Amino acid sequence: MNGSRAVLTRPHLVLTLAALVVAAALPFTVKNFILFQLTLAMVYAIAILGLNLLTGFNGQFSLGHSAFFAIGAYTAAIMMDRLGIAYYWTLPAAGVACFGFGFLFGLPALRLEGIYLALATFALAVATPQILKSTPLEPWTGGVQGIVILKPDAPFGLPLSSDQWLYYLTLAVVIVMFAGAANLINSRSGRAIVAIRDNPIAARAMGIDISSYKSLTFGVSAFYTGVAGALGAIVIQFVAPDSFTFAFAIGLFVGLVVGGVGSIAGALFGGLFVLFVPNIAEQVSKGLAGAVYGVILILVIYLMPSGAAGLVRLVVSKFARTTARQN
Amino acid sequence: MTSQKLGSRGLRLLTLTALGLVLGLAPALAQKKYDPGASDTEIKVGNIMPYSGPASAYGLIGKTIAAYFKKVNADGGINGRKINFISYDDAYSPPKAVEQARKLVESDEVLLIFQSLGTPSNTAIQKYMNAKKVPQLFVATGATKWGDPKNFPWTMGWQPPYQAEGRIYAAHLLEKYPNAKIGILYQNDDYGKDYVKGMKDGLGAKAATMIVSEQPYETSDPTVDSQIVNLKASGADVFFNVTTPKFAAQAIKKAAEIGWKPLHLLNNVSQSVGGVLKPAGLENSIGIVSSYYLKDATDPAWANDAGYKDWLAFMNQYFPDGDKTSSFTVYGYSVAQTLVQVLKQCGDDLTRDNVMKQAAGLKDVEFGMLLPGIKINTSATDFYPIKQMQLQRFNGERWQSIGPVMNGSLGGT
Amino acid sequence: MELFVHQVLAGLSTGGIYACMALAIVMIYQAIDQLNFAQGEMAMFSTFIAWQFLQWGLPYWPAFILTVAVSFVGGVVIEQVVFKPLKSAPVLSHIVVFIALFAILNSGAGFIWDYSIKSFPTPFGTTPLFGTGLISSHDAGMIAMTVILLLLLFVFFRYTRIGLAMRATAANPDSARLVGIRVGWMIALGWGMAAAIGAVAGMMIAPVVFLEPNMMLSILLYGFAGAVVGGLTSPFGAVVGGFLVGVIENLAGTFIPYVGRELKFTIALTLIVAVLTVRPSGLFGRVVVTRV
């Protein structure tokens, strides 16, 4: 019922354009450090969107997206540091590599439902740091020490700082990928994907090839998170197994729910939440930061059970009803 | 060119002018110099610690440091300036550490970042700190790579590097037990591997024959029982135990339970009597050999020691909730004292350059809770403030020194 | 061969811990049909409460019973205060609330009792059994406690009216309500029981791994693995699953060359996932068939 279509009506379009204008102007009004944080929030938003495609729109529960984020990040780091390839090639490469991994993982996962799929993906999340640290792979991954990468400067000698350039790059990627996701959801494939979530038996009865769609969605979802991972690696300039623990997968999941399951725009809110709310919690109380974070989470779920997107939908529909009644 | 000779009047004029110039410049030379974070009234010191997450036990160090700076401020501050200690949580996650470091440098504009904890977090911010030319001072990890002034002139460690300690144990073994069979339990990360490297380097050519088993463990493992079983089965009669407190206690207990009594070499991260040996069982810990550079606060031998009494007074007044049995409070106290010394030496020249210069100019500095004979020394080419350690053996009640203070510097024993 | 036997024994001993935890997880899964991520933290918090009672001078068994009672009440309170108001929220939101509860309990315990390790006594002593010291009397006591709990649960669900009512609520809340079962109370009861079992698990586990706020996270994950491989609908399967995970992990770590030591948990998990692909409901789980 929720989030089955990405609607682009007139008010939506106006809002989106306004948001884009603000976003484009930001680098000239805020400090580099805030830009860095916003860039990171956008990176997480893309990762959350990937998770959303799988869990929100296709109903496959994943607790393991930290693994795809890690694969994307390490792909970028290895390409830049060990192979000397420029950073812009790492994004599509990371995406393709993750698509492959995601698709391959999706195949055996076809047999698993709900909790059992959660465990399988959680196994993936736990295994990834261990595999990254392991000795056979150490020459490539740098083992525990990780890999340090250089931050790229703005190309063509543009008068932008490194932070500003990365912000714009990330913003561009966000626009492209979010538009792509909206396109996907509105297409026939998108409807099939959602149908599989809502009622798999009926979907099969209608002739939808469940297995292919589920595996493909896994792949696409991993693609998105992988690209986010590559971007993240470039922005932070460092990858290490400790950056991609199970706790990170949980963080992405929290961002998904808080933003709104099955909402594309909600992923942005999720990304901002995941980045900024722990900082807010820390400011409230150093010793009890975790407890404050937990309380905030509970309040958020209480006030917005369907996430930020759900709240927006509620407000908009109430507003629409009152205007309709007045007319 | 004039051939005019200076008359006595000209000479007097010249002297007066010169004098005037010198007097005029002198105040300018003695003028205060500040980099961001320093002012007439305060010095902003940044810090990143894991207050949450898997390494949250180390947060105690940050809390001890904060308490110590409170005391320093209450006693008048440093050259009249109060310390503003800004400490952020990174939950032991490198991306978060990067974010917090940037916040401290770019948003809070601290003078330096001090005692940031954890090898992954410090690795993540090292390049940034050096690029921004902000001191990354006295990092809270013993990884050997922090003493590299040529490549990273703004980064300096504090505690004895892990490899140095590993080498000290190796030297001890080669001297006293040259035919030993060594089994190693180590945490599968930077810290653990650094110790193992030190041991192997110290054993040299004999490493391959002496080391019969290496068992890694992850911090996500609930117990290390399986590894201990493997170590015993390998026939090792020396146990090199490279574990953090919780796992050290488990290892000591399990070894005793399965009746394995090797020569037990325990890394100094876990040598706290109250924090590790007591939970593990004091009788199980008899004979354990370790090495350390700080006084153990639970050792009754220091009861009348001036340095200990100062520390105890500090804890009672400024940090009464702090765990007095944990070596982390002694560690935090001592490293905070080191920073205060450096900042005092800076005088009114509180530039980042000068902070590093003073940090690299510590000569034979001693503090109350350092073991007698252990002094802090740095130079422009030596970024390892503490290199000396004291081998000690646990007798069931306290650590007893064996042998002299040993120097584990990377140049040689 | 001897090493093999030793590792199996050690695996059974650690597996006992996982089995205990797995039982608590399955218990609450049966009551509310969801995995409680905060189960481990609840157990840890209960154990700290027990430790506090012991610090205040109470002898072991009174402290034990009191802690179980307090935990039961605590579980009911959590259900009423946190989860009841959110009943109508989507499933995924519930999981976020579990995560929030985890954060609150973990942070709270660290704040109140700090992060240094504490030893927790065992009522069973630590004399080595079978002459090896690989399984001590405490391990045997822990396993015995788990089995007793298992039997008690079995009797409760099969032969008491309340047990039957709880099973009905979990299976079909609407029908249960229609026959007059107080569904709300059943859910609260389920939470209380899960919290109590968790407390027992925590008090059994702490003597082995030492008490500190982060002690339960990894055990929770292993417990999950054990519960799932055994089948989430079968308490017996959960216990078996816990033991299985312990033994497999030890054997994998010891005998798989080169990568075994570093990837123990990964290998164990891979095996579990493999089991699941063959038997999607776990080894002993009941296959649930839904009518269209």
Side-chain angles (χ1 to χ4, degrees):
Chain A
M1 168 67 198
N2 56 354
S4 45
R5 287 163 62 225
V7 179
L8 209 60
T9 58
R10 258 267 297 267
H12 267 109
L13 205 58
V14 168
L15 268 174
T16 319
L17 279 176
L20 279 177
V21 167
V22 170
L26 270 176
F28 301 106
T29 53
V30 301
K31 274 212 271 234
N32 267 340
F33 165 65
I34 310 272
L35 265 187
F36 168 76
Q37 287 185 309
L38 288 172
T39 312
L40 213 48
M42 285 198 283
V43 167
Y44 292 148
I46 301 176
I48 291 172
L49 180 59
L51 181 60
N52 209 347
L53 285 174
L54 187 66
T55 302
F57 287 101
N58 194 230
Q60 294 192 72
F61 194 176
S62 169
L63 281 176
H65 268 53
S66 57
F68 300 124
F69 195 88
I71 295 175
Y74 267 89
T75 309
I78 292 175
M79 282 173 74
M80 285 171 72
D81 188 70
R82 306 278 199 261
L83 302 174
I85 301 178
Y87 66 95
Y88 30 83
W89 294 120
T90 64
L91 296 180
V96 168
C98 285
F99 179 87
F101 275 109
F103 185 82
L104 286 174
F105 191 80
L107 286 175
L110 285 172
R111 290 200 50 131
L112 302 170
E113 289 292 329
I115 295 298
Y116 302 96
L117 180 60
L119 182 78
T121 51
F122 142 70
L124 190 62
V126 164
T128 306
Q130 285 201 335
I131 295 177
L132 288 170
K133 268 198 281 198
S134 67
T135 333
L137 291 181
E138 216 172 295
W140 286 101
T141 62
V144 207
Q145 303 261 8
I147 305 175
V148 181
I149 26 188
L150 292 167
K151 210 174 200 177
D153 285 313
F156 323 121
L158 285 171
L160 292 172
S161 73
S162 201
D163 287 315
Q164 291 170 322
W165 164 241
L166 279 175
Y167 173 87
Y168 279 124
L169 178 66
T170 312
L171 186 62
V173 173
V174 162
I175 295 174
V176 166
M177 298 195 86
F178 273 64
N183 219 1
L184 175 67
I185 297 299
N186 282 337
S187 69
R188 272 194 70 181
S189 311
R191 287 198 289 278
I193 289 172
V194 174
I196 294 174
R197 173 195 76 190
D198 288 337
N199 199 328
I201 301 174
R204 190 181 284 127
M206 303 268 280
I208 297 177
D209 185 350
I210 307 250
S211 316
S212 329
Y213 272 109
K214 278 174 104 168
S215 316
L216 278 172
T217 313
F218 228 110
V220 172
S221 161
F223 175 88
Y224 269 71
T225 310
V227 170
L231 266 176
I234 298 172
V235 170
I236 303 197
Q237 302 175 261
F238 179 67
V239 294
D242 278 311
S243 311
F244 309 114
T245 56
F246 181 58
F248 182 63
I250 298 276
L252 288 177
F253 184 81
V254 168
L256 166 69
V257 172
V258 164
V261 173
S263 152
I264 294 180
L268 281 169
F269 183 80
L272 288 167
F273 188 90
V274 165
L275 188 74
F276 286 108
V277 173
N279 292 349
I280 299 176
E282 194 187 346
Q283 285 194 322
V284 171
S285 156
K286 183 68 74 46
L288 280 172
V292 173
Y293 179 71
V295 169
I296 294 178
L297 264 184
I298 294 181
L299 284 174
V300 164
I301 298 293
Y302 188 66
L303 293 169
M304 317 191 292
S306 301
L311 184 70
V312 167
R313 228 176 283 130
L314 206 67
V315 165
V316 163
S317 69
K318 275 219 171 90
F319 180 68
R321 247 182 289 148
T322 18
T323 15
R325 227 179 287 137
Q326 283 170 355
N327 286 356
Chain B
M1 219 167 76
T2 166
S3 57
Q4 206 181 7
K5 271 219 285 223
L6 282 168
S8 60
R9 231 162 138 224
L11 197 60
R12 231 182 305 150
L13 198 57
L14 195 63
T15 322
L16 277 172
T17 322
L19 210 59
L21 273 171
V22 167
L23 285 173
L25 277 174
L29 283 170
Q31 204 172 26
K32 307 176 196 158
K33 290 209 284 219
Y34 294 134
D35 265 349
S39 72
D40 280 348
T41 51
E42 74 166 6
I43 306 175
K44 283 201 223 170
V45 174
N47 167 264
I48 306 173
M49 276 269 163
Y51 290 109
S52 67
S56 40
Y58 295 106
L60 181 57
I61 299 176
K63 295 192 194 143
T64 312
I65 295 174
Y68 186 75
F69 287 156
K70 241 191 351 199
K71 163 173 149 63
V72 168
N73 287 343
D75 292 341
I78 301 182
N79 297 326
R81 297 175 182 87
K82 298 269 195 285
I83 302 179
N84 184 353
F85 184 60
I86 307 176
S87 177
Y88 288 136
D89 177 21
D90 73 339
Y92 210 70
S93 159
K96 199 73 188 168
V98 172
E99 189 190 332
Q100 305 292 36
R102 292 199 60 165
K103 191 166 176 183
L104 286 168
V105 171
E106 294 171 41
S107 184
D108 296 303
E109 291 184 336
V110 296
L111 181 64
L112 62 128
I113 292 190
F114 159 69
Q115 262 274 300
S116 34
L117 190 139
T119 309
S121 299
N122 277 301
T123 310
I125 66 175
Q126 192 182 25
K127 236 194 186 125
Y128 170 78
M129 296 295 285
N130 279 274
K132 284 276 189 188
K133 300 201 171 49
V134 178
Q136 188 188 0
L137 200 51
F138 302 146
V139 297
T141 122
T144 316
K145 63 180 177 181
W146 307 123
D148 186 5
K150 211 158 38 121
N151 294 317
F152 296 106
W154 296 92
T155 308
M156 186 188 291
W158 185 76
Q159 63 205 76
Y162 299 139
Q163 283 185 28
E165 190 182 340
R167 271 210 300 278
I168 286 183
Y169 295 133
H172 180 71
L173 285 177
L174 283 176
E175 187 194 329
K176 294 268 179 11
Y177 308 94
N179 295 320
K181 293 203 280 266
I182 308 172
I184 308 180
L185 174 68
Y186 67 99
Q187 190 159 300
N188 192 14
D189 64 6
D190 256 317
Y191 136 81
K193 291 186 178 180
D194 223 12
Y195 268 109
V196 175
K197 179 165 193 307
M199 167 71 79
K200 285 186 174 163
D201 286 347
L203 292 174
K206 292 195 77 178
T209 47
M210 285 177 85
I211 299 178
V212 297
S213 179
E214 293 175 55
Q215 299 287 324
Y217 75 92
E218 309 282 338
T219 47
S220 58
D221 287 350
T223 70
V224 289
D225 292 357
S226 175
Q227 287 90 335
I228 299 287
V229 169
N230 281 336
L231 284 171
K232 180 177 179 206
S234 72
D237 49 25
V238 171
F239 175 24
F240 185 27
N241 187 355
V242 184
T243 49
T244 45
K246 178 170 115 150
F247 296 102
Q250 286 182 3
I252 296 171
K253 196 158 94 125
K254 195 66 187 178
E257 276 176 15
I258 63 174
W260 186 41
K261 293 191 197 333
L263 168 64
H264 193 142
L265 298 171
L266 181 63
N267 73 121
N268 71 27
V269 170
S270 300
Q271 57 88 264
S272 163
V273 173
V276 174
L277 300 185
K278 197 136 161 281
L282 292 175
E283 338 70 55
N284 298 333
S285 313
I286 296 179
I288 294 183
V289 171
S290 182
S291 72
Y292 211 41
Y293 52 100
L294 296 172
K295 294 176 187 158
D296 188 335
T298 60
D299 187 344
W302 304 118
N304 291 320
D305 176 79
Y308 170 76
K309 290 208 276 216
D310 283 340
W311 173 83
L312 190 63
F314 150 71
M315 288 296 288
N316 284 332
Q317 190 178 1
Y318 290 96
F319 195 20
D321 290 332
D323 185 3
K324 293 189 188 55
T325 64
S326 165
S327 52
F328 290 161
T329 45
V330 177
Y331 176 94
Y333 175 77
S334 304
V335 72
Q337 284 180 317
T338 317
L339 181 70
V340 168
Q341 171 76 27
V342 167
L343 290 176
K344 272 208 181 100
Q345 278 176 210
C346 287
D348 279 334
D349 181 355
L350 285 165
T351 56
R352 289 166 173 160
D353 244 336
N354 197 24
V355 167
M356 282 318 288
K357 190 152 146 250
Q358 299 303 326
L362 297 167
K363 258 237 125 3
D364 283 341
V365 179
E366 290 183 293
F367 291 119
M369 286 306 269
L370 285 172
L371 283 173
I374 297 194
K375 308 186 217 264
I376 297 185
N377 273 297
T378 54
S379 78
T381 49
D382 175 12
F383 269 25
Y384 295 111
I386 304 181
K387 296 171 275 292
Q388 299 161 294
M389 274 176 277
Q390 172 76 60
L391 275 178
Q392 43 187 9
R393 181 181 289 122
F394 189 68
N395 69 359
E397 273 179 27
R398 44 182 293 260
W399 290 104
Q400 282 180 316
S401 304
I402 46 178
V405 169
M406 291 178 79
N407 191 335
S409 81
L410 274 67
T413 311
Chain C
M1 187 59 208
E2 192 186 325
L3 183 60
F4 178 83
V5 172
H6 284 174
Q7 287 292 1
V8 168
L9 282 178
L12 287 175
S13 138
T14 348
I17 299 178
Y18 307 150
C20 217
M21 197 67 235
L23 190 60
I25 291 168
V26 166
M27 177 64 231
I28 195 163
Y29 184 76
Q30 301 252 296
I32 60 168
D33 212 34
Q34 279 166 38
L35 277 184
N36 180 5
F37 276 101
Q39 187 70 45
E41 300 312 284
M42 286 165 65
M44 175 271 295
F45 205 88
S46 303
T47 315
F48 266 112
I49 293 178
W51 182 85
Q52 192 64 69
F53 285 144
L54 290 171
Q55 293 302 105
W56 284 334
L58 276 162
Y60 184 85
W61 287 111
F64 183 94
I65 296 174
L66 196 55
T67 305
V68 171
V70 168
S71 305
F72 183 90
V73 171
V76 172
V77 167
I78 290 179
E79 194 272 330
Q80 294 283 305
V81 170
V82 175
F83 284 94
K84 194 135 165 255
L86 298 169
K87 224 171 8 159
S88 51
V91 171
L92 294 179
S93 305
H94 281 174
I95 298 182
V96 172
V97 178
F98 286 128
I99 295 170
L101 196 58
F102 180 109
I104 294 175
L105 288 171
N106 187 296
S107 180
F111 185 74
I112 302 176
W113 290 290
D114 80 54
Y115 289 96
S116 50
I117 59 173
K118 298 168 171 46
S119 45
F120 193 84
T122 165
F124 303 117
T126 45
T127 38
L129 295 180
F130 309 126
T132 58
L134 283 168
I135 298 209
S136 69
S137 46
H138 170 77
D139 294 321
M142 177 167 61
I143 296 175
M145 185 70 86
T146 310
V147 170
I148 291 176
L149 275 176
L150 185 58
L151 285 171
L152 284 174
L153 276 179
F154 176 73
V155 166
F156 174 78
F157 278 120
R158 268 289 214 101
Y159 297 112
T160 65
R161 287 193 65 189
I162 300 186
L164 184 61
M166 272 184 76
R167 279 194 298 151
T169 310
N172 196 331
D174 296 320
S175 303
R177 204 175 274 121
L178 286 172
V179 294
I181 295 176
R182 306 279 291 275
V183 164
W185 280 51
M186 288 302 113
I187 297 182
L189 185 63
W191 266 89
M193 284 175 67
I197 297 177
V200 173
M203 290 191 277
M204 290 293 107
I205 293 172
V208 179
V209 300
F210 295 107
L211 178 62
E212 48 109 15
N214 290 323
M215 82 173 180
M216 279 309 224
L217 174 58
S218 47
I219 296 176
L220 180 71
L221 301 181
Y222 281 80
F224 271 153
V228 172
V229 78
L232 280 169
T233 50
S234 159
F236 174 72
V239 171
V240 169
F243 283 114
L244 225 62
V245 170
V247 172
I248 292 177
E249 209 208 6
N250 276 9
L251 293 178
T254 310
F255 293 109
I256 295 187
Y258 202 36
V259 290
R261 308 166 319 170
E262 289 175 329
L263 299 175
K264 285 194 314 187
F265 193 32
T266 307
I267 295 173
L269 284 172
T270 316
L271 284 169
I272 291 172
V273 173
V275 165
L276 285 179
T277 45
V278 174
R279 285 189 62 94
S281 299
L283 287 171
F284 295 96
R286 263 174 293 120
V287 179
V288 177
V289 180
T290 349
R291 285 252 206 94
V292 177

